[in-house]
Amino acid sequence: MEFNASTTNERERRIKSVEEVLLRIAKHEGVVGYLVLNPADGRVMRYSGFSSDERKVKKYADKINGFTALAASTIRTIDWKDDLTFLRMGLGLTEILIAPDVDKQYVLIVVQEIRS
Amino acid sequence: MTSERVESVLELITYTKGVAGAVVCNRNGEPIRDSFQDLDRNRAVAYSNMAADLARDAALLFSADESLDAVRVRSLNNEIIIKCHEEFLLVVIQELTK
């Protein structure tokens, strides 16, 4: 792959737009935090919020990576051509939104509190 | 809730636009009542097992004060909504229009 000036600019533009999307998510009312996981090994690639409590972030990462894998597995059990695209869990006053990447390169997880 | 009320709610869910069917099962994944329009019992069993697996896994993962109320699983073709109760699970399968 050739790296010329326009390729570099394109990459920087994409990174900037991803940053903007993540910032918008983090600022949304009720959002406790988000994390981006590598589904292959459960490593946290990036996170924001959660009062910067890394233990809490790790807790969510471990639990949700396994649950997401199970959900994807049950879907393929029912129809092998089908695939998981989104997951939403209600846990008391907390809601966890899980969006796996189409190419399985990352999983975006948003945790928000429900206000009634 | 009387059994008539349960039946009428299930019927209402089943005949909602886009809904392929609904199943009530116990926590072990045994279907108690299903109402697929295509009358496919195998699908009811498959979705009951799926719901039981997810509910069981969530119960192990999260602490007592964070018990699973509901989970929505969206795939390429369907959205499966699982509502959890102490003894029973309600599973609703919606088809997605593209």
Side-chain angles (χ1 to χ4, degrees):
Chain A
M1 187 179 181
E2 286 181 2
F3 282 97
N4 53 40
S6 71
T7 303
T8 303
N9 289 339
E10 170 66 17
R11 181 179 155 82
E12 283 170 5
R13 195 184 59 77
R14 280 213 212 175
I15 289 171
K16 186 166 183 289
S17 82
V18 169
E19 295 288 340
E20 283 165 5
V21 171
L22 290 173
L23 185 60
R24 182 157 48 82
I25 290 170
K27 283 185 164 181
H28 198 275
E29 187 182 349
V31 172
V32 175
Y34 71 76
L35 53 148
V36 184
L37 280 193
N38 181 341
D41 56 13
R43 182 171 41 90
V44 178
M45 290 157 54
R46 179 196 178 103
Y47 79 90
S48 172
F50 300 104
S51 313
S52 300
D53 181 350
E54 295 217 356
R55 214 162 15 85
K56 188 170 184 180
V57 171
K58 188 69 165 79
K59 181 195 95 169
Y60 274 118
D62 291 344
K63 296 180 173 185
I64 292 168
N65 204 41
F67 190 79
T68 304
L70 176 63
S73 165
T74 58
I75 286 171
R76 283 191 302 269
T77 298
I78 290 173
D79 180 357
W80 66 271
K81 287 182 285 185
D82 210 351
D83 203 4
L84 177 70
T85 58
F86 195 74
L87 198 49
R88 189 180 195 122
M89 302 169 76
L91 300 151
L93 294 181
T94 301
E95 202 167 38
I96 303 176
L97 316 175
I98 301 159
D101 171 44
V102 170
D103 296 320
K104 310 291 187 278
Q105 308 234 340
Y106 66 87
V107 179
L108 173 63
I109 296 156
V110 178
V111 179
Q112 63 182 6
E113 278 168 355
I114 297 163
R115 290 139 199 251
S116 53
Chain B
M1 194 178 261
T2 65
S3 60
E4 289 82 20
R5 287 278 310 273
V6 173
E7 289 298 322
S8 65
V9 169
L10 270 178
E11 190 161 321
L12 185 65
I13 290 170
T14 302
Y15 290 100
T16 300
K17 186 176 159 68
V19 172
V23 190
V24 179
C25 65
N26 67 17
R27 285 271 180 164
N28 295 323
E30 293 154 15
I32 293 162
R33 176 93 180 75
D34 73 83
S35 59
F36 278 86
Q37 296 190 51
D38 63 8
L39 301 176
D40 189 346
R41 180 71 176 180
N42 289 334
R43 286 188 82 186
V45 173
Y47 284 115
S48 299
N49 286 327
M50 173 188 189
D53 286 347
L54 293 178
R56 189 182 308 114
D57 197 66
L60 293 171
L61 288 176
F62 294 93
S63 55
D65 58 303
E66 286 177 316
S67 69
L68 187 72
D69 294 332
V71 56
R72 299 177 75 112
V73 185
R74 181 178 284 235
S75 68
L76 298 173
N77 300 323
N78 298 304
E79 181 158 13
I80 297 123
I81 302 157
I82 301 163
K83 183 67 180 173
C84 304
H85 171 269
E86 196 172 315
E87 294 174 56
F88 304 107
L89 306 169
L90 170 65
V91 189
V92 178
I93 295 88
Q94 292 190 130
E95 282 157 352
L96 300 178
T97 44
K98 285 170 180 166

